[in-house]
């Protein structure tokens, strides 16, 4: 019985430690949200809910179209394209036309008169601006390709961690948790029948608890890896493969 009591004491100590961890996590979350440390937190959903994994290729494309870095890059491209268009307008000749009438001319007493004017600007400064804009666009194009490669590499690594964590969770769901539950029920029935002692039942309960804790940690690692993937992509992972 002393060993059973020791097991209960260890379980209570673990519960207190976990409760303390929950309180610390709640306080850090509130501080990140600009709230009081002890403010209540209403959590939605459940830890065991696992969203479908996104399609990696489509996620990279979403990051390139919706991510913060990609948006800033498109804005810079738009600025340089506007500069290039403005510089090009300086090289468009200005064609003017006019009409009128001529009076008191020695050769004609009266008659119509037409005028055409073509002004060709000599704007070497505009040429330099065009060259600068084109060079800037070329640099931005290379930055875009570098961004795509960087996102592809980082998201591939983050996605691999998500897949590994998802596989670990799947192992607990498919095998470890059901097996631990089955062993616990087996020892409970055997204890009721008097074929095993209380210590055997306590060991089975402790083993199941350790498996459940491992399952919870695996779920936590999965959701943390998923959050890291979302942060690196710069877009919300609201759905799975489309």
């Amino acid at each position: 019985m002393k060993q059973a009591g020791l097991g209960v004491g260890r379980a209570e100590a673990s519960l207190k430690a976990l409760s303390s961890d929950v309180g610390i996590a709640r306080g850090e979350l509130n501080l990140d949200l600009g709230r009081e440390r002890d403010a209540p937190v209403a959590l939605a959903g459940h830890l065991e809910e696992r969203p479908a994994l996104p399609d990696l290729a489509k996620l990279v494309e979403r990051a390139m179209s919706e991510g913060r870095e990609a948006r800033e890059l498109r804005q810079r491209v738009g600025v340089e394209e506007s500069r290039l268009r403005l510089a090009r307008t300086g090289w468009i000749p200005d064609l003017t036309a006019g009409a009128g009438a001529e009076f008191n001319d020695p050769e004609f007493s009266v008659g119509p008169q037409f005028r055409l004017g073509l002004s060709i600007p000599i704007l070497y400064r505009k040429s330099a601006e065009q060259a600068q804009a084109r060079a800037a666009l070329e640099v931005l194009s290379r930055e875009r390709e570098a961004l795509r490669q960087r996102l592809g590499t980082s998201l591939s690594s983050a996605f691999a961690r998500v897949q590994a964590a998802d596989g670990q969770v799947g192992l607990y769901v498919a095998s470890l948790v059901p097996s631990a539950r089955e062993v616990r029920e087996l020892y409970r029935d055997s204890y009721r029948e008097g074929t095993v002692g209380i210590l055997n039942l306590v060991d089975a309960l402790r083993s199941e608890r350790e498996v459940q804790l491992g399952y919870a940690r695996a779920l936590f690692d999965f959701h943390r890896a998923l959050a890291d993937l979302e942060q690196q992509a710069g877009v919300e992972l609201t759905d799975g493969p489309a």
Side-chain angles (χ1 to χ4, degrees), residues 80 83-84 86-88 91 123-135:
E80 296 301 330
R83 286 182 56 192
L84 182 58
L86 289 174
R88 283 173 175 172
W91 286 89
L123 298 175
Y124 294 102
R125 183 175 61 85
K126 293 294 183 180
S127 178
E129 289 182 0
Q130 289 187 59
Q132 290 176 359
R134 290 193 184 97

Side-chain angles (χ1 to χ4, degrees), residues 103-162:
F103 298 95
N104 299 323
D105 188 276
E107 299 181 358
F108 302 96
S109 59
V110 64
Q113 184 184 52
F114 297 95
R115 296 188 305 274
L116 289 176
L118 183 64
S119 60
I120 302 177
I122 304 176
L123 298 175
Y124 294 102
R125 183 175 61 85
K126 293 294 183 180
S127 178
E129 289 182 0
Q130 289 187 59
Q132 290 176 359
R134 290 193 184 97
L137 288 173
E138 178 65 23
V139 171
L140 291 174
S141 176
R142 294 182 181 181
E143 287 186 16
R144 177 179 174 82
E145 290 304 316
L147 175 61
R148 179 181 293 276
Q149 293 180 2
R150 187 167 68 253
L151 283 173
T153 301
S154 62
L155 293 182
S156 295
S157 299
F159 188 72
R161 289 191 292 271
V162 171

Side-chain angles (χ1 to χ4, degrees), residues 42-86:
L43 300 179
H46 196 273
L47 184 64
E48 295 186 5
E49 296 177 359
R50 292 155 59 200
L53 300 186
D55 182 271
L56 180 58
K58 293 181 179 180
L59 181 60
V60 173
E61 293 304 320
R62 285 189 59 200
M64 288 298 299
S65 62
E66 304 173 24
R68 179 182 58 82
E69 289 186 76
R71 291 198 306 269
E72 292 177 354
L73 194 58
R74 283 199 302 274
Q75 291 175 354
R76 293 168 60 191
V77 170
V79 170
E80 296 301 330
E81 287 177 343
S82 299
R83 286 182 56 192
L84 182 58
R85 285 194 297 269
L86 289 174

Side-chain angles (χ1 to χ4, degrees), residues 20 98 126 138 173 176:
S20 177
K126 293 294 183 180
E138 178 65 23
V173 172
L176 298 180

